[in-house]
């Protein structure tokens, strides 16, 4: 009985629009639970975005300078 690989999107936790100011991972990178994967600027402060799970980055959905809302995943992990 093999378990299907489930992708996990990583979002920012803020209401409204934030700006992506740094991305620390690339597709193919292994990420540990609690690892900072990106920084966003919200309310004039830079905030760490951490992965809630361990996995491999399958896609980086944003680029530095993008303005995103909380429904846009920053990265996708498998």
């Amino acid at each position: 009985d093999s378990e299907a690989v489930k992708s996990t999107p990583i979002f920012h936790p803020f209401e409204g629009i934030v700006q992506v100011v740094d991305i620390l991972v690339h597709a193919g990178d292994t990420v540990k639970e609690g690892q900072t994967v990106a920084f966003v600027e919200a309310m004039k402060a830079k905030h760490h975005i951490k992965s809630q799970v361990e996995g491999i980055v399958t896609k980086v959905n944003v680029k530095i300078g993008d303005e995103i809302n909380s429904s846009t995943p920053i990265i996708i992990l498998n």
Side-chain angles (χ1 to χ4, degrees), residues 27-31 54-59 76-78:
D29 288 355
T30 300
V31 172
E54 188 171 313
I56 295 172
V57 178
T58 54
K59 184 174 185 192
I76 309 285
L77 298 177
N78 269 4

Side-chain angles (χ1 to χ4, degrees), residues 53-71:
V53 296
E54 188 171 313
I56 295 172
V57 178
T58 54
K59 184 174 185 192
V60 177
N61 254 3
V62 298
K63 57 189 185 308
I64 293 169
D66 282 358
E67 292 189 348
I68 60 170
N69 64 28
S70 59
S71 67

